[in-house]
Structures are given as C-alpha cells and as structure tokens.
PDB file of all heavy atoms in Angstrom:
ATOM      1  N   VAL A   1       9.713   4.427  -3.019  1.00 95.00           N
ATOM      2  CA  VAL A   1      10.311   3.316  -3.761  1.00 95.00           C
ATOM      3  C   VAL A   1       9.402   2.681  -4.806  1.00 95.00           C
ATOM      4  O   VAL A   1       9.889   2.027  -5.731  1.00 95.00           O
ATOM      5  CB  VAL A   1      10.792   2.203  -2.803  1.00 95.00           C
ATOM      6  CG1 VAL A   1      11.981   2.690  -1.977  1.00 95.00           C
ATOM      7  CG2 VAL A   1       9.658   1.738  -1.901  1.00 95.00           C
ATOM      8  N   SER A   2       8.086   2.847  -4.685  1.00 93.00           N
ATOM      9  CA  SER A   2       7.229   2.070  -5.578  1.00 93.00           C
ATOM     10  C   SER A   2       5.807   2.606  -5.549  1.00 93.00           C
ATOM     11  O   SER A   2       5.426   3.377  -4.658  1.00 93.00           O
ATOM     12  CB  SER A   2       7.226   0.590  -5.148  1.00 93.00           C
ATOM     13  OG  SER A   2       6.488  -0.221  -6.025  1.00 93.00           O
ATOM     14  N   VAL A   3       5.038   2.216  -6.546  1.00 96.00           N
ATOM     15  CA  VAL A   3       3.596   2.422  -6.568  1.00 96.00           C
ATOM     16  C   VAL A   3       2.957   1.090  -6.946  1.00 96.00           C
ATOM     17  O   VAL A   3       3.355   0.471  -7.942  1.00 96.00           O
ATOM     18  CB  VAL A   3       3.172   3.508  -7.578  1.00 96.00           C
ATOM     19  CG1 VAL A   3       1.655   3.592  -7.665  1.00 96.00           C
ATOM     20  CG2 VAL A   3       3.737   4.866  -7.184  1.00 96.00           C
ATOM     21  N   LEU A   4       2.011   0.642  -6.153  1.00 97.00           N
ATOM     22  CA  LEU A   4       1.314  -0.612  -6.427  1.00 97.00           C
ATOM     23  C   LEU A   4      -0.098  -0.311  -6.899  1.00 97.00           C
ATOM     24  O   LEU A   4      -0.763   0.575  -6.366  1.00 97.00           O
ATOM     25  CB  LEU A   4       1.259  -1.485  -5.172  1.00 97.00           C
ATOM     26  CG  LEU A   4       2.585  -1.832  -4.508  1.00 97.00           C
ATOM     27  CD1 LEU A   4       2.341  -2.770  -3.340  1.00 97.00           C
ATOM     28  CD2 LEU A   4       3.562  -2.432  -5.497  1.00 97.00           C
ATOM     29  N   THR A   5      -0.554  -1.053  -7.890  1.00 96.00           N
ATOM     30  CA  THR A   5      -1.930  -0.924  -8.370  1.00 96.00           C
ATOM     31  C   THR A   5      -2.554  -2.308  -8.429  1.00 96.00           C
ATOM     32  O   THR A   5      -1.991  -3.224  -9.018  1.00 96.00           O
ATOM     33  CB  THR A   5      -1.973  -0.274  -9.765  1.00 96.00           C
ATOM     34  OG1 THR A   5      -1.078  -0.975 -10.647  1.00 96.00           O
ATOM     35  CG2 THR A   5      -1.556   1.193  -9.704  1.00 96.00           C
ATOM     36  N   ALA A   6      -3.692  -2.441  -7.806  1.00 94.00           N
ATOM     37  CA  ALA A   6      -4.370  -3.736  -7.755  1.00 94.00           C
ATOM     38  C   ALA A   6      -5.874  -3.504  -7.750  1.00 94.00           C
ATOM     39  O   ALA A   6      -6.352  -2.429  -7.388  1.00 94.00           O
ATOM     40  CB  ALA A   6      -3.954  -4.515  -6.508  1.00 94.00           C
ATOM     41  N   PHE A   7      -6.616  -4.511  -8.172  1.00 94.00           N
ATOM     42  CA  PHE A   7      -8.081  -4.461  -8.115  1.00 94.00           C
ATOM     43  C   PHE A   7      -8.520  -5.517  -7.130  1.00 94.00           C
ATOM     44  O   PHE A   7      -8.279  -6.712  -7.333  1.00 94.00           O
ATOM     45  CB  PHE A   7      -8.688  -4.719  -9.494  1.00 94.00           C
ATOM     46  CG  PHE A   7     -10.152  -4.379  -9.574  1.00 94.00           C
ATOM     47  CD1 PHE A   7     -10.581  -3.207 -10.171  1.00 94.00           C
ATOM     48  CD2 PHE A   7     -11.116  -5.231  -9.041  1.00 94.00           C
ATOM     49  CE1 PHE A   7     -11.924  -2.870 -10.237  1.00 94.00           C
ATOM     50  CE2 PHE A   7     -12.462  -4.919  -9.109  1.00 94.00           C
ATOM     51  CZ  PHE A   7     -12.871  -3.731  -9.711  1.00 94.00           C
ATOM     52  N   MET A   8      -9.163  -5.063  -6.058  1.00 90.00           N
ATOM     53  CA  MET A   8      -9.561  -5.983  -5.000  1.00 90.00           C
ATOM     54  C   MET A   8     -11.075  -5.994  -4.820  1.00 90.00           C
ATOM     55  O   MET A   8     -11.731  -4.955  -4.972  1.00 90.00           O
ATOM     56  CB  MET A   8      -8.893  -5.577  -3.677  1.00 90.00           C
ATOM     57  CG  MET A   8      -7.382  -5.688  -3.717  1.00 90.00           C
ATOM     58  SD  MET A   8      -6.606  -5.182  -2.156  1.00 90.00           S
ATOM     59  CE  MET A   8      -6.905  -3.419  -2.216  1.00 90.00           C
ATOM     60  N   ILE A   9     -11.597  -7.155  -4.514  1.00 89.00           N
ATOM     61  CA  ILE A   9     -12.997  -7.293  -4.131  1.00 89.00           C
ATOM     62  C   ILE A   9     -13.000  -7.673  -2.658  1.00 89.00           C
ATOM     63  O   ILE A   9     -12.483  -8.728  -2.274  1.00 89.00           O
ATOM     64  CB  ILE A   9     -13.710  -8.356  -4.987  1.00 89.00           C
ATOM     65  CG1 ILE A   9     -13.688  -7.942  -6.467  1.00 89.00           C
ATOM     66  CG2 ILE A   9     -15.139  -8.549  -4.514  1.00 89.00           C
ATOM     67  CD1 ILE A   9     -14.287  -8.969  -7.409  1.00 89.00           C
ATOM     68  N   SER A  10     -13.526  -6.799  -1.832  1.00 81.00           N
ATOM     69  CA  SER A  10     -13.427  -6.991  -0.393  1.00 81.00           C
ATOM     70  C   SER A  10     -14.711  -6.558   0.291  1.00 81.00           C
ATOM     71  O   SER A  10     -15.716  -6.259  -0.368  1.00 81.00           O
ATOM     72  CB  SER A  10     -12.243  -6.175   0.149  1.00 81.00           C
ATOM     73  OG  SER A  10     -12.544  -4.782   0.125  1.00 81.00           O
ATOM     74  N   GLU A  11     -14.666  -6.487   1.612  1.00 77.00           N
ATOM     75  CA  GLU A  11     -15.827  -6.047   2.382  1.00 77.00           C
ATOM     76  C   GLU A  11     -16.211  -4.618   2.046  1.00 77.00           C
ATOM     77  O   GLU A  11     -17.331  -4.184   2.320  1.00 77.00           O
ATOM     78  CB  GLU A  11     -15.520  -6.157   3.881  1.00 77.00           C
ATOM     79  CG  GLU A  11     -14.407  -5.243   4.356  1.00 77.00           C
ATOM     80  CD  GLU A  11     -14.083  -5.419   5.824  1.00 77.00           C
ATOM     81  OE1 GLU A  11     -14.020  -6.574   6.295  1.00 77.00           O
ATOM     82  OE2 GLU A  11     -13.898  -4.398   6.510  1.00 77.00           O
ATOM     83  N   ARG A  12     -15.301  -3.864   1.433  1.00 80.00           N
ATOM     84  CA  ARG A  12     -15.575  -2.474   1.062  1.00 80.00           C
ATOM     85  C   ARG A  12     -16.184  -2.343  -0.323  1.00 80.00           C
ATOM     86  O   ARG A  12     -16.528  -1.247  -0.752  1.00 80.00           O
ATOM     87  CB  ARG A  12     -14.286  -1.646   1.135  1.00 80.00           C
ATOM     88  CG  ARG A  12     -13.727  -1.508   2.544  1.00 80.00           C
ATOM     89  CD  ARG A  12     -12.374  -0.827   2.526  1.00 80.00           C
ATOM     90  NE  ARG A  12     -11.397  -1.630   1.836  1.00 80.00           N
ATOM     91  CZ  ARG A  12     -10.256  -1.152   1.345  1.00 80.00           C
ATOM     92  NH1 ARG A  12      -9.985   0.127   1.438  1.00 80.00           N
ATOM     93  NH2 ARG A  12      -9.409  -1.953   0.744  1.00 80.00           N
ATOM     94  N   GLY A  13     -16.294  -3.459  -1.054  1.00 87.00           N
ATOM     95  CA  GLY A  13     -16.834  -3.422  -2.409  1.00 87.00           C
ATOM     96  C   GLY A  13     -15.754  -3.701  -3.432  1.00 87.00           C
ATOM     97  O   GLY A  13     -14.820  -4.472  -3.185  1.00 87.00           O
ATOM     98  N   TRP A  14     -15.885  -3.086  -4.601  1.00 93.00           N
ATOM     99  CA  TRP A  14     -14.872  -3.199  -5.658  1.00 93.00           C
ATOM    100  C   TRP A  14     -13.892  -2.054  -5.483  1.00 93.00           C
ATOM    101  O   TRP A  14     -14.282  -0.878  -5.490  1.00 93.00           O
ATOM    102  CB  TRP A  14     -15.519  -3.119  -7.033  1.00 93.00           C
ATOM    103  CG  TRP A  14     -16.388  -4.298  -7.373  1.00 93.00           C
ATOM    104  CD1 TRP A  14     -16.583  -5.425  -6.631  1.00 93.00           C
ATOM    105  CD2 TRP A  14     -17.171  -4.465  -8.567  1.00 93.00           C
ATOM    106  NE1 TRP A  14     -17.447  -6.284  -7.276  1.00 93.00           N
ATOM    107  CE2 TRP A  14     -17.824  -5.723  -8.463  1.00 93.00           C
ATOM    108  CE3 TRP A  14     -17.391  -3.680  -9.697  1.00 93.00           C
ATOM    109  CZ2 TRP A  14     -18.672  -6.202  -9.461  1.00 93.00           C
ATOM    110  CZ3 TRP A  14     -18.236  -4.149 -10.682  1.00 93.00           C
ATOM    111  CH2 TRP A  14     -18.864  -5.408 -10.576  1.00 93.00           C
ATOM    112  N   VAL A  15     -12.606  -2.391  -5.344  1.00 93.00           N
ATOM    113  CA  VAL A  15     -11.610  -1.373  -4.994  1.00 93.00           C
ATOM    114  C   VAL A  15     -10.453  -1.386  -5.993  1.00 93.00           C
ATOM    115  O   VAL A  15      -9.545  -2.216  -5.894  1.00 93.00           O
ATOM    116  CB  VAL A  15     -11.065  -1.597  -3.566  1.00 93.00           C
ATOM    117  CG1 VAL A  15     -10.095  -0.471  -3.186  1.00 93.00           C
ATOM    118  CG2 VAL A  15     -12.202  -1.698  -2.555  1.00 93.00           C
ATOM    119  N   PRO A  16     -10.453  -0.459  -6.981  1.00 95.00           N
ATOM    120  CA  PRO A  16      -9.265  -0.261  -7.812  1.00 95.00           C
ATOM    121  C   PRO A  16      -8.266   0.568  -6.996  1.00 95.00           C
ATOM    122  O   PRO A  16      -8.417   1.778  -6.852  1.00 95.00           O
ATOM    123  CB  PRO A  16      -9.783   0.520  -9.022  1.00 95.00           C
ATOM    124  CG  PRO A  16     -11.275   0.585  -8.862  1.00 95.00           C
ATOM    125  CD  PRO A  16     -11.560   0.404  -7.405  1.00 95.00           C
ATOM    126  N   ASP A  17      -7.269  -0.096  -6.456  1.00 95.00           N
ATOM    127  CA  ASP A  17      -6.417   0.508  -5.428  1.00 95.00           C
ATOM    128  C   ASP A  17      -5.070   0.950  -5.985  1.00 95.00           C
ATOM    129  O   ASP A  17      -4.476   0.259  -6.826  1.00 95.00           O
ATOM    130  CB  ASP A  17      -6.197  -0.500  -4.304  1.00 95.00           C
ATOM    131  CG  ASP A  17      -5.577   0.123  -3.077  1.00 95.00           C
ATOM    132  OD1 ASP A  17      -6.017   1.215  -2.682  1.00 95.00           O
ATOM    133  OD2 ASP A  17      -4.647  -0.484  -2.509  1.00 95.00           O
ATOM    134  N   THR A  18      -4.589   2.087  -5.493  1.00 96.00           N
ATOM    135  CA  THR A  18      -3.259   2.592  -5.820  1.00 96.00           C
ATOM    136  C   THR A  18      -2.574   2.964  -4.516  1.00 96.00           C
ATOM    137  O   THR A  18      -3.101   3.764  -3.747  1.00 96.00           O
ATOM    138  CB  THR A  18      -3.332   3.826  -6.744  1.00 96.00           C
ATOM    139  OG1 THR A  18      -3.979   3.463  -7.964  1.00 96.00           O
ATOM    140  CG2 THR A  18      -1.937   4.354  -7.064  1.00 96.00           C
ATOM    141  N   GLU A  19      -1.409   2.379  -4.271  1.00 97.00           N
ATOM    142  CA  GLU A  19      -0.687   2.623  -3.025  1.00 97.00           C
ATOM    143  C   GLU A  19       0.700   3.199  -3.320  1.00 97.00           C
ATOM    144  O   GLU A  19       1.469   2.634  -4.102  1.00 97.00           O
ATOM    145  CB  GLU A  19      -0.532   1.327  -2.226  1.00 97.00           C
ATOM    146  CG  GLU A  19      -1.846   0.665  -1.819  1.00 97.00           C
ATOM    147  CD  GLU A  19      -2.604   1.455  -0.765  1.00 97.00           C
ATOM    148  OE1 GLU A  19      -1.976   2.307  -0.090  1.00 97.00           O
ATOM    149  OE2 GLU A  19      -3.822   1.230  -0.615  1.00 97.00           O
ATOM    150  N   TYR A  20       1.005   4.318  -2.676  1.00 97.00           N
ATOM    151  CA  TYR A  20       2.343   4.910  -2.746  1.00 97.00           C
ATOM    152  C   TYR A  20       3.190   4.277  -1.639  1.00 97.00           C
ATOM    153  O   TYR A  20       2.813   4.323  -0.467  1.00 97.00           O
ATOM    154  CB  TYR A  20       2.263   6.422  -2.564  1.00 97.00           C
ATOM    155  CG  TYR A  20       1.531   7.123  -3.690  1.00 97.00           C
ATOM    156  CD1 TYR A  20       0.145   7.285  -3.651  1.00 97.00           C
ATOM    157  CD2 TYR A  20       2.220   7.616  -4.799  1.00 97.00           C
ATOM    158  CE1 TYR A  20      -0.537   7.918  -4.691  1.00 97.00           C
ATOM    159  CE2 TYR A  20       1.547   8.247  -5.840  1.00 97.00           C
ATOM    160  CZ  TYR A  20       0.174   8.398  -5.777  1.00 97.00           C
ATOM    161  OH  TYR A  20      -0.495   9.020  -6.804  1.00 97.00           O
ATOM    162  N   ILE A  21       4.332   3.705  -2.022  1.00 97.00           N
ATOM    163  CA  ILE A  21       5.116   2.887  -1.100  1.00 97.00           C
ATOM    164  C   ILE A  21       6.437   3.571  -0.746  1.00 97.00           C
ATOM    165  O   ILE A  21       7.133   4.111  -1.622  1.00 97.00           O
ATOM    166  CB  ILE A  21       5.414   1.502  -1.704  1.00 97.00           C
ATOM    167  CG1 ILE A  21       4.129   0.882  -2.281  1.00 97.00           C
ATOM    168  CG2 ILE A  21       6.040   0.585  -0.654  1.00 97.00           C
ATOM    169  CD1 ILE A  21       3.004   0.749  -1.293  1.00 97.00           C
ATOM    170  N   TYR A  22       6.774   3.495   0.530  1.00 96.00           N
ATOM    171  CA  TYR A  22       8.004   4.081   1.047  1.00 96.00           C
ATOM    172  C   TYR A  22       8.750   3.045   1.884  1.00 96.00           C
ATOM    173  O   TYR A  22       8.125   2.230   2.574  1.00 96.00           O
ATOM    174  CB  TYR A  22       7.702   5.298   1.923  1.00 96.00           C
ATOM    175  CG  TYR A  22       6.975   6.411   1.214  1.00 96.00           C
ATOM    176  CD1 TYR A  22       5.592   6.336   0.993  1.00 96.00           C
ATOM    177  CD2 TYR A  22       7.652   7.533   0.760  1.00 96.00           C
ATOM    178  CE1 TYR A  22       4.910   7.348   0.336  1.00 96.00           C
ATOM    179  CE2 TYR A  22       6.980   8.565   0.106  1.00 96.00           C
ATOM    180  CZ  TYR A  22       5.613   8.461  -0.103  1.00 96.00           C
ATOM    181  OH  TYR A  22       4.950   9.469  -0.753  1.00 96.00           O
ATOM    182  N   ASP A  23      10.076   3.089   1.827  1.00 95.00           N
ATOM    183  CA  ASP A  23      10.911   2.294   2.725  1.00 95.00           C
ATOM    184  C   ASP A  23      11.504   3.212   3.779  1.00 95.00           C
ATOM    185  O   ASP A  23      11.875   4.361   3.487  1.00 95.00           O
ATOM    186  CB  ASP A  23      12.044   1.606   1.959  1.00 95.00           C
ATOM    187  CG  ASP A  23      11.594   0.338   1.250  1.00 95.00           C
ATOM    188  OD1 ASP A  23      10.418  -0.036   1.376  1.00 95.00           O
ATOM    189  OD2 ASP A  23      12.429  -0.269   0.548  1.00 95.00           O
ATOM    190  N   LEU A  24      11.621   2.700   4.998  1.00 94.00           N
ATOM    191  CA  LEU A  24      12.191   3.468   6.096  1.00 94.00           C
ATOM    192  C   LEU A  24      13.095   2.553   6.914  1.00 94.00           C
ATOM    193  O   LEU A  24      12.632   1.661   7.621  1.00 94.00           O
ATOM    194  CB  LEU A  24      11.077   4.032   6.992  1.00 94.00           C
ATOM    195  CG  LEU A  24      11.532   4.812   8.226  1.00 94.00           C
ATOM    196  CD1 LEU A  24      12.254   6.093   7.815  1.00 94.00           C
ATOM    197  CD2 LEU A  24      10.342   5.131   9.121  1.00 94.00           C
ATOM    198  N   GLU A  25      14.408   2.749   6.771  1.00 92.00           N
ATOM    199  CA  GLU A  25      15.348   1.993   7.584  1.00 92.00           C
ATOM    200  C   GLU A  25      15.429   2.615   8.972  1.00 92.00           C
ATOM    201  O   GLU A  25      15.572   3.836   9.105  1.00 92.00           O
ATOM    202  CB  GLU A  25      16.739   1.986   6.946  1.00 92.00           C
ATOM    203  CG  GLU A  25      17.760   1.191   7.749  1.00 92.00           C
ATOM    204  CD  GLU A  25      19.165   1.260   7.173  1.00 92.00           C
ATOM    205  OE1 GLU A  25      19.337   1.849   6.083  1.00 92.00           O
ATOM    206  OE2 GLU A  25      20.088   0.728   7.824  1.00 92.00           O
ATOM    207  N   VAL A  26      15.313   1.788   9.989  1.00 90.00           N
ATOM    208  CA  VAL A  26      15.397   2.274  11.359  1.00 90.00           C
ATOM    209  C   VAL A  26      16.496   1.522  12.100  1.00 90.00           C
ATOM    210  O   VAL A  26      16.881   0.414  11.730  1.00 90.00           O
ATOM    211  CB  VAL A  26      14.055   2.109  12.106  1.00 90.00           C
ATOM    212  CG1 VAL A  26      12.983   2.962  11.458  1.00 90.00           C
ATOM    213  CG2 VAL A  26      13.622   0.652  12.165  1.00 90.00           C
ATOM    214  N   ASP A  27      17.000   2.133  13.154  1.00 88.00           N
ATOM    215  CA  ASP A  27      18.031   1.532  13.979  1.00 88.00           C
ATOM    216  C   ASP A  27      17.451   0.393  14.806  1.00 88.00           C
ATOM    217  O   ASP A  27      16.255   0.394  15.144  1.00 88.00           O
ATOM    218  CB  ASP A  27      18.633   2.602  14.890  1.00 88.00           C
ATOM    219  CG  ASP A  27      19.846   2.089  15.643  1.00 88.00           C
ATOM    220  OD1 ASP A  27      20.937   2.049  15.047  1.00 88.00           O
ATOM    221  OD2 ASP A  27      19.689   1.721  16.829  1.00 88.00           O
ATOM    222  N   ALA A  28      18.308  -0.552  15.153  1.00 87.00           N
ATOM    223  CA  ALA A  28      17.845  -1.711  15.923  1.00 87.00           C
ATOM    224  C   ALA A  28      17.285  -1.312  17.284  1.00 87.00           C
ATOM    225  O   ALA A  28      16.487  -2.049  17.878  1.00 87.00           O
ATOM    226  CB  ALA A  28      18.990  -2.701  16.095  1.00 87.00           C
ATOM    227  N   SER A  29      17.674  -0.152  17.796  1.00 89.00           N
ATOM    228  CA  SER A  29      17.204   0.294  19.110  1.00 89.00           C
ATOM    229  C   SER A  29      15.870   1.030  19.046  1.00 89.00           C
ATOM    230  O   SER A  29      15.270   1.332  20.074  1.00 89.00           O
ATOM    231  CB  SER A  29      18.244   1.220  19.748  1.00 89.00           C
ATOM    232  OG  SER A  29      18.421   2.390  18.960  1.00 89.00           O
ATOM    233  N   PHE A  30      15.384   1.294  17.819  1.00 90.00           N
ATOM    234  CA  PHE A  30      14.151   2.057  17.650  1.00 90.00           C
ATOM    235  C   PHE A  30      12.922   1.222  17.987  1.00 90.00           C
ATOM    236  O   PHE A  30      12.855   0.027  17.671  1.00 90.00           O
ATOM    237  CB  PHE A  30      14.050   2.555  16.199  1.00 90.00           C
ATOM    238  CG  PHE A  30      12.688   3.056  15.820  1.00 90.00           C
ATOM    239  CD1 PHE A  30      12.261   4.318  16.197  1.00 90.00           C
ATOM    240  CD2 PHE A  30      11.810   2.256  15.091  1.00 90.00           C
ATOM    241  CE1 PHE A  30      11.003   4.783  15.861  1.00 90.00           C
ATOM    242  CE2 PHE A  30      10.549   2.715  14.740  1.00 90.00           C
ATOM    243  CZ  PHE A  30      10.149   3.982  15.126  1.00 90.00           C
TER     244      PHE A  30
END
C-alpha cells in the first residue's frame, strides 16, 4: 500500500530510512 521515507536520528545513529508497507485484513477470530 505504501512506501515511507524518513530521516531519523536514534540510538543507531543517522538513519535515512525506507519502509515498504503492507496492509493485512484478518478475521476477528484470528
């Protein structure tokens, strides 16, 4: 559904991050 790109400064250092995003609908009983 999406790709996110962000620049984060964290405990890991400087992180130019790219995340591939997925949606997953599940049943209420799952």
Side-chain angles (χ1 to χ4, degrees):
V1 292
S2 184
V3 174
L4 304 184
T5 52
F7 193 102
M8 296 179 290
I9 299 176
S10 72
E11 64 183 43
R12 294 173 295 161
W14 292 356
V15 184
D17 192 44
T18 299
E19 300 290 341
Y20 294 88
I21 312 303
Y22 300 79
D23 280 358
L24 177 66
E25 181 184 355
V26 296
D27 188 80
S29 63
F30 166 79

